[in-house]
Amino acid sequence: MLSHHPNTVALNAIGHTRWATHGVPAERNAHPQIGGNGELAIVHNGIIENFQELKKSLLAKGYVFRSETDTEVLAHLIAEGRKHTGSLLEAFAWALRQAHGAYAVAMLCPEEPGTILAARMAAPMILGIGVGEHFVASDIPAFLPYTRDVVFLQDGEIVRITDHSWEVLALDTLNPVQKSIQTIQWDMQSARKGGYKHFMLKEIFEQPQVITDCLTGRIDEEHERILLPELDSLPVPARLHIIACGTSYHAGMWGQHLFEDWARIPVIPEIASEFRYRNVILEPDDMVLVISQSGETADTLAALRLARERGCLAIGLCNVVGSSIPREANAVIYTQAGPEISVASTKAMCSQMVILSLMALYYAQRKRLLDPQTRHEALKALKALPDQLALSLPSMRETAQKLIQPYSAARSFFYLGRGHAFPLALEGALKLKEISYIHAEGYASGEMKHGPIALIDPEFPTFAIALDDALFPKVKSNIVEVQARRGPVIALTNPGTELHVDHLWTIPAAWGPFSAFLALPAMQLFSYEMADYLGKDVDQPRNLAKSVTVE
Ligand code: M6R
């Protein structure tokens, strides 16, 4: 947050609570980062995709780096810009035009005391208008105690503030941009949740941004190639054990379908607490992939250690930078989903699924298995997901709200799915039970007739995932079997399918398995609305902790 207070000695300040993306959490990587020989200081939220190439050219010019951050690269680049341009503002814009990726950045400079320059590109930044003081921040709560008057900055805009003035300029031309001031009505509590009632809801709605962030820097657009340099020095696994717990395990199960289909890598999904207590067979060319949002789950960490003791190479897929699993794995890929506060995991699973998709495509690329057309379709579909999801989420929520009442008295639920929708069914059931305390079982729909169908009666509803894919006719038959036992059915499906059920919930389709990215939030919203309707503690469900660091 940045401020300048009236009637006192002029005070300008910048600060940033860092969610590590490049470089572990350590003092040298903390912000502000200093550019040149102390000419300027910046704070930055986001990821500079091309930081490596920029760093290379700055090193060649003699700049000395004291951190591992992409932010320091930007700081030195602005210092370099000072040599090529006439003003500080021009140097700031000069540097930012070369930075690809996402940033909300703010800068202080002794050359222009009393001025703060800030800019945004694909990362939030808001200007707060006070009396004799102005603020810029990534989020409104940072300055809400001081002002409710805000200006929302757009991508490609720079703002220059002093204590008594503010102006917004276009990054490209430095021409002024007209902006309007809006007054925020939220209280502090709801502001921390971005105006949402619960963190879980906020995190569900963050998923389009999460997908964008996960893809950032991981696709070479020109050659349509996947970039996962974290994996380049490791061999392609002959067989992959995907080890995780809870929601992360379900993401791993979903990823199995993609690894097997595209990269032809045999995958064994493993529940971490089972893996660690089995006399597991690990062949010399096997590798393990451990998935954990927190990077601290005790069973997952123990499974990773066991695999490493047995001489197996291990990849970590984690969200929390510098946590235990990344420290102990041979390679780590960070999901870049940002902090997940709600105990019920939502956006973390979405981010894990994006990375698993990229990993499967990456290995297919290394094995030269993927035809260019499939790769093209897959990448096009992945890149389209953020907009598609952002457009769909509000109406999904409305549908979820309408569906709750007829089912709120249910004591139990089945969630059914087949193929890659089976892990989604497990996840849908987990979400419902953990926050609404309604008993729910996820089942492979073809397995119902081997026992569980005995439970079906008019009081026992089924939530069927019936996406428009090759398995649709099979799922449809399973739904009919449930209906023959007078079980009520909600069917989550795509446009164009033909189903006659109690409640048909149609969501947009995406290419191939990526319809999962739309089915998942629909189920998350159903559970969320159910728990909220039943008056449960959505963000802090009973008996659960966010990070399970005990066995
Ligand atoms: O941090 P992790 O991904 O390792 O956590 C794994 C599980 O504890 C977690 O996914 C848990 O199942 C969530 N409460 C699900 O919403």
Side-chain angles (χ1 to χ4, degrees), residues 300-315:
T300 313
L301 182 59
L304 162 71
R305 287 179 179 154
L306 177 77
R308 293 220 51 201
E309 273 162 32
R310 301 276 195 91
C312 210
L313 287 170
I315 304 163

Side-chain angles (χ1 to χ4, degrees), residues 100-121:
H100 305 155
Y103 52 77
V105 61
M107 178 178 82
L108 268 182
C109 181
E111 186 188 331
E112 273 189 40
T115 298
I116 286 168
L117 291 174
R120 76 160 266 179
M121 185 67 77

Side-chain angles (χ1 to χ4, degrees), residues 41 45 58-59 76 78 124 150 185 215 220 239 374 433 487 534:
N45 177 33
L58 288 164
L59 280 168
H76 286 323
I78 301 168
V150 306
Q185 307 297 346
L215 295 176
D220 168 357
R239 189 170 68 155
T374 309
K433 61 189 147 198
L534 296 175

Side-chain angles (χ1 to χ4, degrees), residues 75 131 166 246 340 505:
V131 178
W166 62 272
E340 191 178 63
W505 186 351

Side-chain angles (χ1 to χ4, degrees), residues 16 19 21 43-49 70-71 74 96 99-106 118-127 136-140 151-159 171 179 206 208-210 212-213 216 336:
H16 176 53
W19 176 263
T21 56
V43 290
H44 160 227
N45 177 33
I47 299 158
I48 306 298
E49 282 175 33
D70 51 344
T71 304
L74 199 52
L96 290 178
H100 305 155
Y103 52 77
V105 61
R120 76 160 266 179
M121 185 67 77
M125 174 157 282
I126 299 121
L127 166 65
V136 286
S138 294
D139 218 349
I140 293 168
V151 172
F152 290 96
L153 298 178
Q154 300 303 320
D155 288 349
E157 289 180 350
I158 292 182
V159 60
L171 171 64
K179 304 293 287 186
E206 278 172 0
Q209 181 67 44
V210 164
T212 302
D213 291 346
T216 298
Q336 296 170 182

Side-chain angles (χ1 to χ4, degrees), residues 295-549:
E296 299 292 352
T297 300
D299 286 317
T300 313
L301 182 59
L304 162 71
R305 287 179 179 154
L306 177 77
R308 293 220 51 201
E309 273 162 32
R310 301 276 195 91
C312 210
L313 287 170
I315 304 163
L317 175 52
C318 297
N319 194 34
V320 179
V321 174
S323 54
S324 300
I325 289 172
R327 287 204 304 270
E328 299 194 26
N330 298 87
V332 57
I333 303 180
Y334 286 113
T335 45
Q336 296 170 182
E340 191 178 63
I341 309 291
S342 173
V343 166
S345 185
T346 53
K347 65 175 181 170
M349 180 165 178
C350 170
S351 68
Q352 291 160 351
M353 286 164 51
V354 175
I355 303 293
L356 290 165
S357 307
L358 291 175
M359 284 180 77
L361 291 168
Y362 166 86
Y363 283 129
Q365 180 177 288
R366 276 180 69 175
K367 291 175 83 174
R368 297 181 198 287
L369 285 180
L370 209 58
D371 65 280
Q373 187 56 25
T374 309
R375 186 175 56 196
H376 174 75
E377 293 296 335
L379 292 182
K380 194 169 94 180
L382 271 178
K383 287 186 285 186
L385 280 174
D387 285 347
Q388 200 179 5
L389 185 53
L391 271 176
S392 310
L393 279 168
S395 63
M396 277 186 192
R397 184 169 181 214
E398 276 170 29
T399 310
Q401 283 168 332
K402 283 187 201 136
L403 278 175
I404 294 315
Q405 224 178 347
Y407 292 96
S408 58
R411 303 282 306 273
S412 289
F413 254 91
F414 267 128
Y415 277 72
L416 299 185
R418 271 185 113 121
H420 78 104
F422 168 44
L424 300 181
L426 294 178
E427 176 59 12
L430 174 60
K431 280 288 93 73
L432 189 70
K433 61 189 147 198
E434 78 175 316
I435 59 169
S436 71
Y437 316 147
I438 295 174
H439 165 245
E441 287 204 45
Y443 242 89
S445 45
E447 186 66 8
M448 281 285 283
K449 55 187 169 295
H450 299 286
I453 204 163
L455 288 167
I456 296 287
D457 67 19
E459 311 302 317
F460 199 128
T462 291
F463 191 116
I465 307 166
L467 302 177
D468 184 16
D469 57 24
L471 290 175
F472 175 77
K474 308 273 176 203
V475 179
K476 187 174 176 177
S477 305
N478 299 137
I479 290 173
V480 173
E481 287 159 12
V482 169
Q483 290 176 312
R485 275 91 189 157
R486 298 190 296 132
V489 175
I490 302 171
L492 189 65
T493 191
N494 299 130
T497 59
E498 214 192 297
L499 276 173
H500 301 284
V501 293
D502 302 86
H503 291 98
L504 194 65
W505 186 351
T506 305
I507 54 170
W511 176 86
F514 297 154
S515 286
F517 287 98
L518 293 130
L520 181 69
M523 289 187 300
Q524 293 166 344
L525 284 165
F526 181 75
S527 302
Y528 169 78
E529 293 297 345
M530 183 66 87
D532 189 37
Y533 180 79
L534 296 175
K536 306 300 181 203
D537 187 348
V538 172
D539 284 331
Q540 296 286 336
R542 68 186 182 202
N543 306 339
L544 294 176
K546 182 66 187 159
S547 183
V548 185
T549 54

